[in-house]
Amino acid sequence: VKSVAALSSYPLLSSSEFGKPFVEAKAALLIACGAYHEASAFISEIETLGLSKEGWVPEFTFSALLGKGDPHAACEYVKSVSECDVDEEAIEMARTMLKGKEDGNKMFNAEKYAEAVASYTLAFDAGKVPVAAAYCSIVLGNRAAAYQGLNEFLNALADCGRALAFNPWNIKALSRRATLHESIRTSKSPETRNMTYSPRLRSAKTLWRWRRIAFEGSKRPKPRRRTRRLTCIESSVWMS
């Protein structure tokens, strides 16, 4: 990607007929490597070079916007392009994911958490391609919040873990997972506290004691003293 980017950085080479394949190759490599944020930033460079009317640009722009986690902008871009070569299944997938998330947000704001979980699940199931990973991470984070509203902490923690698997930089999912752990730890309900934590690990003192036993051992045997056996020649020399 860096070598192709270095070639496409020269205006004379990129704007010429000889330089167009390098710009297209860089765009394809950015999508193939999953660098969707860099690809979305590359869209403005393509417009500056006057290559926005090329046949491969609509599909690249749609994939870059969707991969960045913004299906709304991707769908709006498809509407603005008259001759679009984007796959219809990909467009329908983006619209289904967007509608499911919007419906889930409405249900969540109305405190209808069960319906919100169903809508978020519909949006998540629609994303069947790697380009939708960032948006799936957002949807899973929202579904975790809905599960938290239903007091289903295990499902909420599982969705936070899935959201971070799709996008490790999802700060909201990371913060929500930490909040869930803290809520379970400080909960006064015995059922909630026994849900994921062992009774032995509730106190910091007990946790430290078990950790010390696990690493050091309560009855650790003394190390044997290693003695080197002398060979016949060494023993004869030493005895003499």
Side-chain angles (χ1 to χ4, degrees):
V1 174
K2 291 182 179 179
S3 60
V4 178
L7 290 175
S8 61
S9 63
Y10 293 95
L12 295 178
L13 181 62
S14 300
S15 59
S16 63
E17 292 295 330
F18 180 74
K20 289 181 180 180
F22 292 99
V23 179
E24 183 179 358
K26 178 184 177 180
L29 285 173
L30 289 173
I31 297 298
C33 295
Y36 298 112
H37 288 276
E38 291 80 0
S40 60
F42 190 56
I43 296 174
S44 59
E45 298 183 20
I46 294 175
E47 295 177 354
T48 303
L49 295 172
L51 302 177
S52 57
K53 295 183 180 181
E54 296 293 324
W56 54 270
V57 173
E59 184 176 0
F60 165 74
T61 305
F62 177 83
S63 300
L65 295 175
L66 180 60
K68 192 179 67 172
D70 192 358
H72 178 73
C75 294
E76 291 296 326
Y77 172 77
V78 171
K79 294 179 182 179
S80 63
V81 179
S82 57
E83 296 180 0
C84 185
D85 297 332
V86 182
D87 188 10
E88 292 294 334
E89 295 182 359
I91 299 175
E92 187 64 26
M93 178 196 66
R95 290 173 179 172
T96 304
M97 293 181 65
L98 182 62
K99 184 178 183 302
K101 180 178 176 293
E102 291 178 351
D103 293 343
N105 291 342
K106 293 179 181 178
M107 295 299 175
F108 183 84
N109 294 330
E111 297 184 357
K112 298 179 180 179
Y113 300 116
E115 291 81 356
V117 168
S119 299
Y120 290 139
T121 303
L122 179 64
F124 173 71
D125 292 338
K128 300 179 180 179
V129 292
V131 71
Y135 197 68
C136 285
S137 178
I138 298 173
V139 171
L140 287 172
N142 292 354
R143 194 173 71 172
Y147 275 129
Q148 186 178 3
L150 295 172
N151 292 329
E152 298 183 10
F153 296 109
L154 288 181
N155 291 330
L157 285 172
D159 274 353
C160 288
R162 296 188 187 102
L164 292 173
F166 278 104
N167 182 15
W169 295 274
N170 191 338
I171 305 300
K172 289 186 178 180
L174 188 63
S175 176
R176 182 169 287 113
R177 186 175 66 174
T179 304
L180 286 168
H181 280 296
E182 185 66 18
S183 299
I184 294 172
R185 188 182 67 84
T186 59
S187 176
K188 297 181 180 180
S189 174
E191 297 179 357
T192 303
R193 296 191 67 179
N194 293 332
M195 193 182 306
T196 55
Y197 295 101
S198 173
R200 293 179 178 178
L201 302 181
R202 292 180 183 174
S203 124
K205 183 177 179 181
T206 306
L207 175 61
W208 173 254
R209 182 170 61 86
W210 280 96
R211 184 181 297 175
R212 179 175 56 83
I213 292 174
F215 283 95
E216 299 180 2
S218 57
K219 296 181 180 179
R220 184 175 58 180
K222 296 181 179 180
R224 295 181 180 180
R225 181 178 298 176
R226 295 183 179 180
T227 57
R228 181 171 176 269
R229 294 183 179 181
L230 299 177
T231 61
C232 297
I233 299 176
E234 290 176 340
S235 59
S236 62
V237 173
W238 183 74
M239 292 296 294
S240 62

